[in-house]
Amino acid sequence: MKILYSWLSDFIENPPSPEEAAAKLGRIGLKVEELHRTGAAFTGVCVGRIEKIDRHPNADKLSLVDVNDGKGVMRVVCGAKNIAVGQLIPFAKVGAMLAEGELKKARIRGVESEGMICSAGELGLEGYDNSGILVLPADAPLGADAMTLFPKADHALEVEMLPNQGYCLSHYALARELCVFYGLKLKEAPVFQGEARGEAVPVEIKVPDLCPRYGAVVMKGVKGARTPEWMAARLRAMGSNPKGNLLIDGSNYVMYELGQPTHCFDVAKLGGPKIIVRRALPGEMLKTLDGQDLKLDPGMMVIADASRPAALAGVMGGADTAVSDDTDMILIESARFHAPTVRQASKTTGLKSESSYRFERGTDPELPLKAARRLAALILEAAPGARVEQISDNCPVKYRPPVIEVAPARINAILGTGIADGEIEACLKALQPRLRDGKPWQFEAPSYRQDIEMINDVAEEVARYIGYDVIPPVTRMPMLPSAVTPQWTAAAELKQGLAALGFSEVYNYDFVSAKELKVCGAAPETALEVKNPLSSDFQYLRPALLPGLLKTLRYNLNRGRETVLVFEAGTAYARRDGGKAEEVYCAGLMYGEYPEGGSWRGGAAKADFYHLKGVLARLFSGKGGFRYEKPRKAPAYYQPGLCLEMKLGGSCAGYLGKLSREAAAAADLKDDAVFLFEVPLSCLAQAGKTEFWQKVVKVKPVSQFPQSWRDLSVVLDEKHEWGELERSFSGVQDLASARLVDVYKGKNIPAGQRSLTVRFTFSSMEKTLNDAEVGARMTAIQDKLARSFGAKLRA
């Protein structure tokens, strides 16, 4: 939040310097992210008048401008497009000090420039249009020092506001914090002190639980009330664009000053006239100040007149009852609204405002009428003919602050300190001046501190009061030994392996849209829906990691990348057995050249199914029982016939394959040459070794005798997979390996069958096998194939 030092100083007697104020705020937990000068930060600039404009002889986009500074006419080179003869402008002569430094003599495209016509930015001014030169008011005196036309130099503090610091969202509030914690004297803003007991506009609160207090001040004779320049300057410095109408700008001013949002209704446009605070009725509409037509939900709280909604409570006013330059009678609204109700209405409608920002964080229950009186005082000051017709404070639910029992020993136990009783009492009295003596103290939190609810909150205020830096940096918490879980270890191994193979790790949100569910082939009713999504893009929890990976792929392709190798470790969510289930996966994809940049031998190949299969084989190397099998039921986003299930022992270790055309189309990808994998980490965690000695690779002895190999070609039905045959070879004596070397269908092979050629390698640890021994083992293999699969020797 931006805070103006001069405005802050209005509420502190003998205020600290800007630098000291920033340091003091930081010491009590209010971080000042930036402190910088604002206002007129220049010298040597006068009011000039443009007398003549000629084209630059050497540049189409530049002009030669004759400027009169009241003493003479000088020629300058200017590139602005909004210049015109007769304009009064800020004219900087050579030697002037501007926001970016001293202006020096310059020769621009062959023509000497005797000065510069300045923009607002070049003068260090905020809140103005910087697209061209700054045009001064027509009544500005020619030749006068331009410094006199603008606000004096000031300092702005950018203060970080945390969600629980709603009590600090104003200049007065920060001044109050400085006074409370540093013993400074707080000054109050002048407010209208009179009374008016009329009831020109009755107020009825039908939802006291949502609106416990509603202050209303009715004023007449406000027509033509204009915003004074000093107020407009402060609003501009805050980043707000003053409208010139005091009824609008004054409301913003009071909000920035006191932290209480207010709103002005044109009484002539109110039905009744009457104010009713109620819930919206089914089918009701509201046209907001920004021109939107809202269909109101029945749960929303509205400020209505006798016949229709006039404002969405705490969020935004309605256009039909808005004030204008012709407004003569107004009702100033200053209320306290239920924070969750305002937050829900703001979120549902998508409307964000400075008012909703404050109401959502909770406002001071004792502040509404004070803010309304403050705005009335500002209007009376600017429009002497105005008068107050009604002041009503409607408070169906009285605020009662919580009473917290505070014992010094308990405070020190929470903070781990030895703070003296007197220091703790001084802190409590700074917050509650009427604190009674006697321990334990009965502490009532001030009304503006809605966040103080229990003894722990009081302990935090004591820590702020004495200073966080005074608390010794020690702990009585025992240091626990660190440990890693098997799942964490499995994830770390996969990440390291994939990174070594050229993959990059990415992170994506756990939330997906209904469109992204289609990528996974999941229907919305089968996915877990978020009750309060931030937007429709985050409506569901992801059933797989695929949507985020494809989004990453599309993002990279749209920015000119031709090769994408990425992976992610994260959680997928599903409905299971009537409940919810979570599973942590490591998933990734390959697209484009592999390896990226080509091989050292020259040339490059596109990533394909076998590249990915090799990557997974490398990742699972050394894992006993790892194998590929034909999937019985693969996820819908894999292309049939180009998908394998990975097995580790008897458990599923995930899937790999090519992305289906349907999934690619759902992800807005033109090319479906995407190869992906997913591995559940629970499987690897169960198969992992936890002790170091278990991870040590044991050396397997190698036979010193020569190997023998034989090729066998058999014909069998197509329904039999190679994996089935491979498993049947277990138990064959001295068999070192069996490798499929050829698959053939066609001439001389019956329909529905195919020929497989397998190379068998034999090795004995005891001797060199002769032909008869190898032949006997091959006969045993052939008999087993014939019995189990009906295989016949290929002719």
Side-chain angles (χ1 to χ4, degrees), residues 529-602:
E529 187 171 4
V530 180
K531 286 186 177 180
N532 56 338
L534 293 175
S535 71
S536 59
D537 291 335
F538 305 110
Q539 191 172 356
Y540 299 92
L541 288 169
R542 60 185 179 187
L545 274 59
L546 180 64
L549 290 170
L550 293 181
K551 186 185 293 185
T552 301
L553 171 63
R554 189 171 63 248
Y555 180 89
N556 281 270
L557 293 179
N558 291 342
R559 282 153 183 80
R561 293 284 297 173
E562 296 181 352
T563 300
V564 180
L565 309 172
V566 293
F567 73 93
E568 178 180 7
T571 306
Y573 308 84
R575 294 187 183 275
R576 190 174 299 163
D577 300 328
K580 307 173 184 66
E582 299 181 13
E583 181 79 58
V584 181
Y585 288 89
C586 181
L589 60 80
M590 302 176 69
Y591 177 88
E593 290 185 357
Y594 187 77
E596 185 176 5
S599 170
W600 63 273
R601 293 178 176 175

Coordinates of all heavy atoms in Angstrom, one line a residue, residues 529-602:
E529 N -14.0 -32.1 -7.9 CA -14.2 -30.7 -8.1 C -13.9 -29.9 -6.9 O -14.2 -30.2 -5.8 CB -15.7 -30.5 -8.5 CG -16.0 -29.1 -9.0 CD -17.3 -28.9 -9.6 OE1 -18.1 -29.9 -9.6 OE2 -17.7 -27.8 -10.1
V530 N -13.3 -28.7 -7.1 CA -12.9 -27.8 -6.0 C -14.2 -27.0 -5.7 O -14.9 -26.5 -6.6 CB -11.8 -26.9 -6.5 CG1 -11.4 -25.9 -5.4 CG2 -10.5 -27.7 -6.9
K531 N -14.4 -26.8 -4.4 CA -15.6 -26.1 -4.0 C -15.6 -24.7 -4.3 O -16.6 -24.0 -4.6 CB -15.9 -26.4 -2.5 CG -16.4 -27.8 -2.2 CD -16.7 -27.9 -0.7 CE -17.3 -29.3 -0.4 NZ -17.7 -29.4 1.0
N532 N -14.4 -24.1 -4.1 CA -14.3 -22.6 -4.3 C -13.1 -22.3 -5.2 O -12.1 -21.7 -4.7 CB -14.1 -21.9 -2.9 CG -12.9 -22.5 -2.2 OD1 -12.5 -23.6 -2.4 ND2 -12.4 -21.7 -1.2
P533 N -13.2 -22.7 -6.5 CA -12.0 -22.5 -7.4 C -11.8 -21.0 -7.6 O -12.7 -20.2 -7.6 CB -12.5 -23.1 -8.7 CG -14.0 -23.1 -8.6 CD -14.3 -23.2 -7.2
L534 N -10.5 -20.6 -7.8 CA -10.1 -19.3 -8.1 C -10.7 -18.8 -9.4 O -11.1 -17.7 -9.6 CB -8.6 -19.1 -8.1 CG -7.9 -19.3 -6.8 CD1 -6.4 -19.2 -7.0 CD2 -8.3 -18.2 -5.8
S535 N -10.8 -19.7 -10.4 CA -11.4 -19.5 -11.7 C -11.8 -20.8 -12.3 O -11.5 -21.9 -11.8 CB -10.5 -18.7 -12.6 OG -9.4 -19.5 -13.0
S536 N -12.4 -20.7 -13.5 CA -12.8 -22.0 -14.2 C -11.6 -22.8 -14.6 O -11.7 -24.0 -14.9 CB -13.7 -21.7 -15.3 OG -13.1 -20.8 -16.3
D537 N -10.5 -22.1 -14.7 CA -9.2 -22.8 -15.1 C -8.7 -23.7 -14.0 O -7.8 -24.5 -14.3 CB -8.1 -21.8 -15.5 CG -8.4 -21.1 -16.8 OD1 -9.2 -21.6 -17.6 OD2 -8.0 -19.9 -17.0
F538 N -9.2 -23.5 -12.8 CA -8.7 -24.3 -11.7 C -9.9 -25.0 -11.0 O -10.0 -25.0 -9.8 CB -8.0 -23.4 -10.7 CG -6.8 -22.6 -11.3 CD1 -6.9 -21.3 -11.4 CD2 -5.7 -23.3 -11.7 CE1 -5.9 -20.5 -12.0 CE2 -4.7 -22.6 -12.3 CZ -4.7 -21.2 -12.4
Q539 N -10.8 -25.5 -11.8 CA -12.1 -26.0 -11.2 C -12.0 -27.4 -10.7 O -12.7 -27.8 -9.8 CB -13.1 -26.0 -12.3 CG -14.6 -26.2 -11.8 CD -15.6 -26.0 -12.9 OE1 -15.2 -25.6 -14.0 NE2 -16.8 -26.3 -12.6
Y540 N -11.0 -28.2 -11.2 CA -10.9 -29.6 -10.8 C -9.5 -30.0 -10.4 O -8.5 -29.3 -10.8 CB -11.3 -30.6 -11.9 CG -12.7 -30.4 -12.4 CD1 -13.0 -29.5 -13.5 CD2 -13.8 -31.1 -11.8 CE1 -14.3 -29.3 -13.9 CE2 -15.1 -30.9 -12.3 CZ -15.3 -30.0 -13.3 OH -16.6 -29.9 -13.8
L541 N -9.3 -31.0 -9.5 CA -8.0 -31.5 -9.2 C -7.6 -32.5 -10.3 O -8.4 -33.3 -10.8 CB -8.0 -32.3 -7.9 CG -8.2 -31.4 -6.6 CD1 -8.5 -32.2 -5.4 CD2 -6.9 -30.6 -6.4
R542 N -6.4 -32.4 -10.7 CA -5.9 -33.2 -11.9 C -6.0 -34.7 -11.7 O -5.5 -35.2 -10.6 CB -4.5 -32.8 -12.3 CG -3.5 -33.0 -11.2 CD -2.1 -32.5 -11.6 NE -1.1 -32.6 -10.6 CZ 0.1 -32.1 -10.6 NH1 0.5 -31.4 -11.7 NH2 0.9 -32.4 -9.7
P543 N -6.6 -35.5 -12.6 CA -6.5 -36.9 -12.4 C -5.2 -37.6 -12.9 O -5.0 -38.7 -12.7 CB -7.7 -37.4 -13.3 CG -7.8 -36.3 -14.4 CD -7.4 -35.0 -13.7
A544 N -4.4 -36.8 -13.6 CA -3.1 -37.2 -14.0 C -2.2 -36.0 -14.3 O -2.7 -34.9 -14.3 CB -3.2 -38.0 -15.4
L545 N -0.9 -36.2 -14.4 CA 0.0 -35.1 -14.6 C 0.0 -34.7 -16.1 O 0.7 -33.7 -16.4 CB 1.4 -35.5 -14.2 CG 1.8 -35.3 -12.7 CD1 0.8 -36.1 -11.8 CD2 3.2 -35.7 -12.4
L546 N -0.6 -35.4 -17.0 CA -0.5 -35.2 -18.4 C -1.0 -33.7 -18.8 O -0.3 -33.1 -19.6 CB -1.4 -36.2 -19.2 CG -1.4 -36.1 -20.7 CD1 0.0 -36.2 -21.3 CD2 -2.3 -37.1 -21.3
P547 N -2.1 -33.2 -18.3 CA -2.5 -31.9 -18.8 C -1.5 -30.8 -18.6 O -1.2 -30.0 -19.5 CB -3.8 -31.6 -18.0 CG -4.3 -32.9 -17.6 CD -3.1 -33.8 -17.4
G548 N -0.8 -30.8 -17.4 CA 0.2 -29.8 -17.2 C 1.4 -30.0 -18.1 O 2.0 -29.0 -18.6
L549 N 1.8 -31.2 -18.3 CA 3.0 -31.5 -19.2 C 2.7 -31.1 -20.7 O 3.5 -30.5 -21.3 CB 3.3 -33.0 -19.2 CG 3.9 -33.5 -17.9 CD1 4.0 -35.0 -17.9 CD2 5.3 -32.9 -17.6
L550 N 1.4 -31.3 -21.1 CA 1.1 -30.9 -22.5 C 1.0 -29.4 -22.6 O 1.3 -28.8 -23.6 CB -0.2 -31.5 -22.9 CG -0.2 -33.1 -23.1 CD1 -1.5 -33.6 -23.5 CD2 0.9 -33.5 -24.1
K551 N 0.5 -28.7 -21.5 CA 0.5 -27.3 -21.5 C 2.0 -26.7 -21.6 O 2.2 -25.7 -22.3 CB -0.2 -26.8 -20.2 CG -0.4 -25.3 -20.2 CD -0.9 -24.8 -18.9 CE -2.3 -25.3 -18.7 NZ -3.0 -24.8 -17.4
T552 N 2.9 -27.4 -20.9 CA 4.3 -27.0 -20.9 C 4.8 -27.2 -22.3 O 5.6 -26.3 -22.9 CB 5.1 -27.8 -19.9 OG1 4.6 -27.5 -18.6 CG2 6.6 -27.4 -20.0
L553 N 4.5 -28.3 -23.0 CA 4.9 -28.6 -24.3 C 4.4 -27.5 -25.3 O 5.2 -27.0 -26.1 CB 4.4 -30.0 -24.8 CG 4.6 -30.3 -26.2 CD1 6.1 -30.4 -26.6 CD2 3.9 -31.7 -26.6
R554 N 3.1 -27.2 -25.2 CA 2.5 -26.2 -26.1 C 3.2 -24.8 -25.9 O 3.5 -24.1 -26.8 CB 1.0 -26.1 -25.8 CG 0.3 -25.3 -26.9 CD -1.2 -25.4 -26.7 NE -1.7 -24.9 -25.4 CZ -2.2 -25.7 -24.5 NH1 -2.3 -27.0 -24.7 NH2 -2.6 -25.2 -23.3
Y555 N 3.4 -24.5 -24.6 CA 4.1 -23.2 -24.3 C 5.5 -23.1 -25.0 O 5.8 -22.1 -25.6 CB 4.2 -23.1 -22.8 CG 4.9 -21.8 -22.3 CD1 4.1 -20.7 -22.1 CD2 6.2 -21.7 -22.1 CE1 4.7 -19.5 -21.6 CE2 6.8 -20.5 -21.7 CZ 6.1 -19.4 -21.4 OH 6.6 -18.3 -21.0
N556 N 6.2 -24.2 -24.9 CA 7.6 -24.2 -25.5 C 7.5 -24.2 -27.0 O 8.3 -23.5 -27.7 CB 8.4 -25.4 -25.0 CG 8.9 -25.2 -23.6 OD1 10.0 -24.7 -23.5 ND2 8.2 -25.5 -22.6
L557 N 6.6 -24.9 -27.6 CA 6.5 -25.0 -29.1 C 6.0 -23.6 -29.6 O 6.5 -23.2 -30.7 CB 5.5 -26.0 -29.5 CG 5.8 -27.5 -29.2 CD1 4.7 -28.4 -29.7 CD2 7.2 -27.9 -29.9
N558 N 5.2 -22.9 -28.9 CA 4.7 -21.6 -29.4 C 5.8 -20.6 -29.3 O 5.7 -19.5 -29.9 CB 3.5 -21.1 -28.5 CG 2.3 -21.9 -28.8 OD1 2.2 -22.6 -29.8 ND2 1.3 -21.9 -27.9
R559 N 6.9 -20.9 -28.6 CA 8.0 -19.9 -28.5 C 9.2 -20.4 -29.3 O 10.4 -20.0 -29.0 CB 8.3 -19.7 -27.0 CG 7.3 -18.7 -26.4 CD 7.2 -18.9 -24.9 NE 6.1 -18.0 -24.4 CZ 4.8 -18.2 -24.5 NH1 4.4 -19.3 -25.1 NH2 4.0 -17.3 -24.1
G560 N 9.0 -21.3 -30.2 CA 10.1 -21.6 -31.2 C 10.9 -22.8 -30.8 O 11.8 -23.2 -31.6
R561 N 10.6 -23.5 -29.7 CA 11.4 -24.7 -29.4 C 11.0 -25.8 -30.3 O 9.8 -26.0 -30.6 CB 11.1 -25.1 -27.9 CG 11.6 -24.1 -26.9 CD 13.1 -24.2 -26.7 NE 13.5 -25.5 -26.2 CZ 14.7 -25.9 -26.1 NH1 15.7 -25.1 -26.4 NH2 15.0 -27.1 -25.6
E562 N 12.0 -26.6 -30.7 CA 11.7 -27.7 -31.6 C 11.8 -29.1 -30.9 O 11.4 -30.1 -31.4 CB 12.7 -27.7 -32.8 CG 12.5 -26.4 -33.7 CD 13.4 -26.4 -34.9 OE1 14.3 -27.3 -34.9 OE2 13.2 -25.6 -35.7
T563 N 12.5 -29.1 -29.8 CA 12.7 -30.3 -29.0 C 12.3 -30.0 -27.5 O 12.7 -29.0 -27.0 CB 14.2 -30.7 -29.0 OG1 14.5 -31.0 -30.3 CG2 14.3 -32.0 -28.1
V564 N 11.4 -30.8 -27.0 CA 11.0 -30.7 -25.6 C 11.1 -32.0 -24.9 O 10.5 -33.0 -25.3 CB 9.5 -30.2 -25.5 CG1 9.1 -30.0 -24.1 CG2 9.4 -28.8 -26.3
L565 N 11.9 -32.0 -23.8 CA 12.0 -33.2 -23.0 C 11.8 -32.7 -21.5 O 12.6 -32.1 -20.9 CB 13.5 -33.8 -23.1 CG 14.0 -34.1 -24.5 CD1 15.4 -34.5 -24.4 CD2 13.2 -35.2 -25.1
V566 N 10.6 -33.0 -21.0 CA 10.3 -32.5 -19.7 C 9.7 -33.6 -18.8 O 9.2 -34.6 -19.3 CB 9.3 -31.4 -19.7 CG1 9.9 -30.1 -20.4 CG2 8.0 -31.8 -20.5
F567 N 9.8 -33.5 -17.5 CA 9.2 -34.4 -16.6 C 8.7 -33.6 -15.3 O 9.2 -32.5 -15.1 CB 10.1 -35.5 -16.2 CG 11.2 -35.1 -15.2 CD1 11.1 -35.2 -13.8 CD2 12.4 -34.6 -15.7 CE1 12.1 -34.8 -13.0 CE2 13.4 -34.2 -14.8 CZ 13.2 -34.3 -13.4
E568 N 7.8 -34.2 -14.6 CA 7.3 -33.6 -13.4 C 7.0 -34.7 -12.4 O 6.5 -35.8 -12.7 CB 6.0 -32.8 -13.7 CG 5.4 -32.2 -12.5 CD 4.1 -31.4 -12.8 OE1 3.6 -31.5 -13.9 OE2 3.6 -30.8 -11.9
A569 N 7.2 -34.4 -11.1 CA 6.8 -35.3 -10.0 C 5.8 -34.6 -9.2 O 6.0 -33.4 -8.7 CB 8.0 -35.6 -9.1
G570 N 4.6 -35.2 -9.1 CA 3.5 -34.5 -8.4 C 2.4 -35.5 -8.1 O 2.4 -36.7 -8.4
T571 N 1.3 -34.9 -7.6 CA 0.2 -35.7 -7.1 C -1.0 -35.7 -8.1 O -1.3 -34.7 -8.7 CB -0.3 -35.2 -5.7 OG1 0.8 -35.2 -4.8 CG2 -1.4 -36.1 -5.2
A572 N -1.6 -36.9 -8.3 CA -2.8 -37.0 -9.1 C -3.9 -37.4 -8.2 O -3.7 -38.1 -7.2 CB -2.6 -38.0 -10.2
Y573 N -5.1 -37.0 -8.5 CA -6.3 -37.2 -7.6 C -7.4 -38.0 -8.3 O -7.6 -37.8 -9.5 CB -6.8 -35.9 -7.1 CG -5.7 -35.0 -6.5 CD1 -4.9 -34.2 -7.3 CD2 -5.5 -35.0 -5.1 CE1 -3.9 -33.4 -6.7 CE2 -4.5 -34.2 -4.6 CZ -3.7 -33.4 -5.4 OH -2.7 -32.6 -4.8
A574 N -8.1 -38.8 -7.6 CA -9.1 -39.6 -8.2 C -10.2 -40.0 -7.2 O -10.0 -39.9 -5.9 CB -8.5 -40.9 -8.8
R575 N -11.4 -40.3 -7.7 CA -12.4 -40.9 -6.8 C -12.2 -42.4 -6.7 O -11.9 -43.1 -7.8 CB -13.8 -40.6 -7.4 CG -14.2 -39.1 -7.4 CD -15.6 -39.0 -7.8 NE -15.9 -37.6 -7.9 CZ -16.4 -36.8 -6.9 NH1 -16.5 -37.4 -5.7 NH2 -16.7 -35.6 -7.0
R576 N -12.3 -43.0 -5.5 CA -12.0 -44.4 -5.4 C -12.8 -44.9 -4.2 O -12.7 -44.4 -3.1 CB -10.5 -44.7 -5.2 CG -10.2 -46.2 -5.3 CD -8.7 -46.3 -5.2 NE -8.0 -45.6 -6.3 CZ -6.7 -45.3 -6.3 NH1 -5.9 -45.6 -5.3 NH2 -6.2 -44.7 -7.3
D577 N -13.6 -45.9 -4.5 CA -14.4 -46.6 -3.4 C -15.3 -45.6 -2.7 O -15.4 -45.6 -1.4 CB -13.5 -47.3 -2.5 CG -12.7 -48.4 -3.1 OD1 -13.2 -49.0 -4.1 OD2 -11.6 -48.7 -2.7
G578 N -15.9 -44.6 -3.4 CA -16.8 -43.7 -2.8 C -16.1 -42.5 -2.1 O -16.7 -41.7 -1.5
G579 N -14.7 -42.6 -2.1 CA -14.0 -41.5 -1.4 C -12.9 -40.9 -2.4 O -13.1 -40.9 -3.6
K580 N -11.9 -40.3 -1.8 CA -10.9 -39.6 -2.6 C -9.6 -40.4 -2.4 O -9.3 -40.9 -1.3 CB -10.8 -38.2 -2.1 CG -12.1 -37.4 -2.1 CD -11.9 -36.0 -1.5 CE -13.2 -35.3 -1.4 NZ -14.2 -36.0 -0.5
A581 N -8.8 -40.4 -3.4 CA -7.5 -41.0 -3.4 C -6.4 -40.2 -4.0 O -6.7 -39.4 -5.0 CB -7.5 -42.4 -4.1
E582 N -5.2 -40.2 -3.5 CA -4.1 -39.5 -4.0 C -3.0 -40.4 -4.4 O -2.7 -41.4 -3.6 CB -3.6 -38.4 -3.0 CG -4.6 -37.4 -2.7 CD -4.1 -36.3 -1.7 OE1 -2.8 -36.3 -1.5 OE2 -4.9 -35.6 -1.1
E583 N -2.3 -40.2 -5.4 CA -1.1 -41.0 -5.8 C 0.0 -40.0 -6.4 O -0.3 -39.2 -7.2 CB -1.5 -42.0 -6.9 CG -0.4 -42.9 -7.4 CD -0.1 -44.0 -6.4 OE1 -1.0 -44.8 -6.1 OE2 1.1 -44.1 -5.9
V584 N 1.2 -40.2 -5.9 CA 2.3 -39.4 -6.4 C 3.0 -40.1 -7.6 O 3.3 -41.3 -7.5 CB 3.3 -39.1 -5.3 CG1 4.5 -38.3 -5.8 CG2 2.7 -38.5 -4.1
Y585 N 3.1 -39.4 -8.7 CA 3.7 -39.9 -9.9 C 4.9 -39.1 -10.3 O 5.1 -38.0 -10.0 CB 2.7 -39.9 -11.1 CG 1.5 -40.8 -11.0 CD1 0.4 -40.5 -10.3 CD2 1.6 -42.1 -11.6 CE1 -0.7 -41.4 -10.3 CE2 0.6 -43.0 -11.5 CZ -0.6 -42.6 -10.9 OH -1.6 -43.5 -10.8
C586 N 5.7 -39.8 -11.1 CA 6.7 -39.1 -11.9 C 6.4 -39.4 -13.4 O 6.3 -40.5 -13.8 CB 8.2 -39.6 -11.6 SG 9.4 -38.7 -12.6
A587 N 6.1 -38.3 -14.1 CA 5.6 -38.4 -15.5 C 6.4 -37.5 -16.4 O 6.9 -36.5 -15.9 CB 4.1 -38.1 -15.6
G588 N 6.6 -37.8 -17.6 CA 7.3 -37.0 -18.6 C 6.9 -37.3 -20.0 O 6.2 -38.2 -20.3
L589 N 7.5 -36.5 -20.9 CA 7.2 -36.6 -22.3 C 8.4 -36.3 -23.1 O 9.3 -35.5 -22.7 CB 6.0 -35.8 -22.7 CG 6.0 -34.3 -22.6 CD1 6.7 -33.6 -23.7 CD2 4.5 -33.8 -22.5
M590 N 8.5 -36.8 -24.4 CA 9.5 -36.5 -25.3 C 8.8 -36.0 -26.6 O 7.8 -36.5 -27.0 CB 10.3 -37.7 -25.7 CG 11.0 -38.4 -24.5 SD 11.9 -39.9 -25.0 CE 13.2 -39.3 -26.0
Y591 N 9.4 -35.0 -27.2 CA 8.9 -34.5 -28.5 C 10.1 -33.9 -29.2 O 10.9 -33.1 -28.7 CB 7.9 -33.4 -28.3 CG 7.4 -32.8 -29.6 CD1 6.3 -33.4 -30.3 CD2 8.0 -31.7 -30.2 CE1 5.9 -32.9 -31.5 CE2 7.6 -31.2 -31.4 CZ 6.5 -31.8 -32.1 OH 6.1 -31.3 -33.2
G592 N 10.2 -34.1 -30.6 CA 11.2 -33.5 -31.4 C 12.5 -34.4 -31.5 O 12.4 -35.6 -31.4
E593 N 13.6 -33.7 -31.7 CA 14.9 -34.5 -31.9 C 15.3 -35.1 -30.6 O 15.1 -34.6 -29.5 CB 16.0 -33.5 -32.4 CG 15.8 -33.0 -33.8 CD 17.0 -32.2 -34.2 OE1 17.9 -32.0 -33.4 OE2 17.0 -31.7 -35.4
Y594 N 15.9 -36.3 -30.8 CA 16.6 -36.9 -29.6 C 17.8 -37.7 -30.1 O 17.7 -38.5 -31.0 CB 15.6 -37.9 -28.9 CG 16.2 -38.4 -27.6 CD1 16.2 -37.6 -26.5 CD2 16.7 -39.7 -27.5 CE1 16.7 -38.0 -25.3 CE2 17.3 -40.1 -26.4 CZ 17.3 -39.3 -25.2 OH 17.8 -39.8 -24.1
P595 N 18.9 -37.4 -29.5 CA 19.2 -36.3 -28.5 C 19.1 -34.9 -29.1 O 19.3 -34.7 -30.3 CB 20.6 -36.6 -28.0 CG 21.2 -37.3 -29.2 CD 20.2 -38.1 -29.8
E596 N 18.7 -33.9 -28.3 CA 18.6 -32.6 -28.8 C 20.0 -32.1 -29.3 O 21.0 -32.2 -28.7 CB 18.1 -31.6 -27.6 CG 17.9 -30.2 -28.1 CD 17.3 -29.4 -27.0 OE1 17.2 -29.9 -25.9 OE2 16.9 -28.2 -27.3
G597 N 19.9 -31.5 -30.5 CA 21.1 -31.0 -31.1 C 21.8 -32.0 -32.0 O 22.8 -31.7 -32.6
G598 N 21.3 -33.3 -32.0 CA 21.9 -34.3 -32.8 C 22.9 -35.1 -32.1 O 23.4 -34.8 -31.0
S599 N 23.3 -36.2 -32.8 CA 24.3 -37.1 -32.2 C 25.7 -36.6 -32.5 O 25.9 -35.9 -33.5 CB 24.1 -38.5 -32.8 OG 25.2 -39.3 -32.5
W600 N 26.7 -37.0 -31.7 CA 28.1 -36.6 -32.0 C 28.6 -37.3 -33.3 O 29.6 -36.8 -33.9 CB 29.0 -37.0 -30.9 CG 29.0 -38.5 -30.6 CD1 28.2 -39.3 -29.9 CD2 30.0 -39.4 -31.2 NE1 28.5 -40.6 -29.9 CE2 29.7 -40.7 -30.6 CE3 31.1 -39.3 -32.0 CZ2 30.4 -41.8 -31.0 CZ3 31.8 -40.4 -32.3 CH2 31.5 -41.7 -31.8
R601 N 27.9 -38.3 -33.8 CA 28.2 -38.9 -35.0 C 27.7 -38.2 -36.2 O 28.0 -38.5 -37.4 CB 27.7 -40.4 -35.1 CG 28.4 -41.3 -34.0 CD 27.8 -42.7 -34.1 NE 28.4 -43.6 -33.2 CZ 28.0 -44.8 -33.0 NH1 27.0 -45.3 -33.6 NH2 28.7 -45.6 -32.1
G602 N 26.8 -37.2 -35.9 CA 26.2 -36.5 -37.0 C 24.8 -36.9 -37.3 O 24.5 -38.1 -37.1

